[in-house]
Amino acid sequence: MPRILAPVLLAAAATVTLSACASTQAGPVEVTRFHRAEATPIARGTISVGALPASQIDPQSIEARTYYQAVGAELNRLGYTVVESGGDYRAQVDAQRGTAAQFARRGSGVSVGAGGSTGSFGSGVGLGVGLDLTRLLGGDPGPRIVTELDARILRNSDDLVIWEGRAQQETFARTEASQLDVISAKLAAALFQGFPGNSGETIRVK
């Protein structure tokens, strides 16, 4: 039997209150999703949350765990029971940060989504820009950066990718909106808004 995660773990990223000031520090979240819902109903069940293969961040890092918790909180809200391992499904998560120019050079890499391939969104280029995103500074808000959250849901019985999505937001580096706890929750909430979403459609979430 899969072991259910403690509610406190999920609650850590379940709710983040954004101030009016923070809302002016960031652009909308751009979300694109692909899924098989028309052919394969996306049922609820038990689900584990972990790293996407070849993840751009260390799966054991605080950064990675923060994103996993944010995604787990949204899945829990949608009616899934989040477990440490095993379960009916598994969610694979990755995240990266960099300047808009770096993302533009990387290219979108989008192909067919959940139509059968994996890694259909990106080229797997690590950004590694080394920005200080942990401080709130007065005056200069710092450079504009893009934070991206990628997630996919696979059915464990046959390893079928039944849903995948990407959320991106541009923020100023030295502002509250770029803080890890704030932006991870914001991206995860946008990513799963109206789940499963319209396959292939890109939306903007404020």
Side-chain angles (χ1 to χ4, degrees):
M1 291 290 291
R3 184 154 62 92
I4 298 175
L5 291 181
V8 67
L9 183 62
L10 297 177
T15 304
V16 173
T17 302
L18 301 179
S19 67
C21 178
S23 67
T24 67
Q25 299 168 354
V29 181
E30 291 195 357
V31 178
T32 306
R33 296 169 289 195
F34 297 93
H35 58 75
R36 297 173 174 267
E38 293 184 1
T40 306
I42 303 178
R44 303 303 189 260
T46 52
I47 188 168
S48 61
V49 181
L52 193 72
S55 175
Q56 303 300 311
I57 54 177
D58 178 1
Q60 303 303 318
S61 67
I62 293 175
E63 180 183 11
R65 292 198 299 270
T66 302
Y67 285 111
Y68 300 160
Q69 289 171 1
V71 169
E74 290 301 314
L75 292 169
N76 185 63
R77 181 184 61 80
L78 291 170
Y80 289 93
T81 300
V82 180
V83 298
E84 288 189 355
S85 61
D88 303 308
Y89 305 96
R90 66 186 185 275
Q92 297 178 335
V93 178
D94 194 16
Q96 19 188 346
R97 285 180 160 183
T99 65
Q102 286 174 308
F103 272 80
R105 288 197 300 270
R106 183 195 65 172
S108 67
V110 176
S111 58
V112 297
S117 69
T118 58
S120 54
F121 273 117
S123 64
V125 175
L127 299 174
V129 294
L131 296 173
D132 180 0
L133 302 174
T134 61
R135 296 179 298 159
L136 289 176
L137 300 179
D140 181 10
R144 287 185 175 272
I145 61 167
V146 176
T147 305
E148 177 179 287
L149 175 65
D150 298 285
R152 65 171 60 131
I153 297 175
L154 298 88
R155 191 168 59 194
N156 281 332
S157 61
D158 55 7
D159 285 337
L160 181 69
V161 179
I162 61 173
W163 181 94
E164 62 183 322
R166 159 173 289 175
Q168 288 186 350
Q169 185 177 36
E170 185 175 299
T171 59
F172 288 103
R174 301 187 187 118
T175 58
E176 182 181 354
S178 279
Q179 300 307 293
L180 182 58
D181 58 341
V182 174
I183 201 163
S184 61
K186 178 72 172 181
L187 291 175
L191 187 59
F192 290 98
Q193 179 173 301
F195 181 83
N198 294 324
S199 188
E201 179 183 57
T202 297
I203 62 172
R204 289 190 171 190
V205 180
K206 293 183 178 180

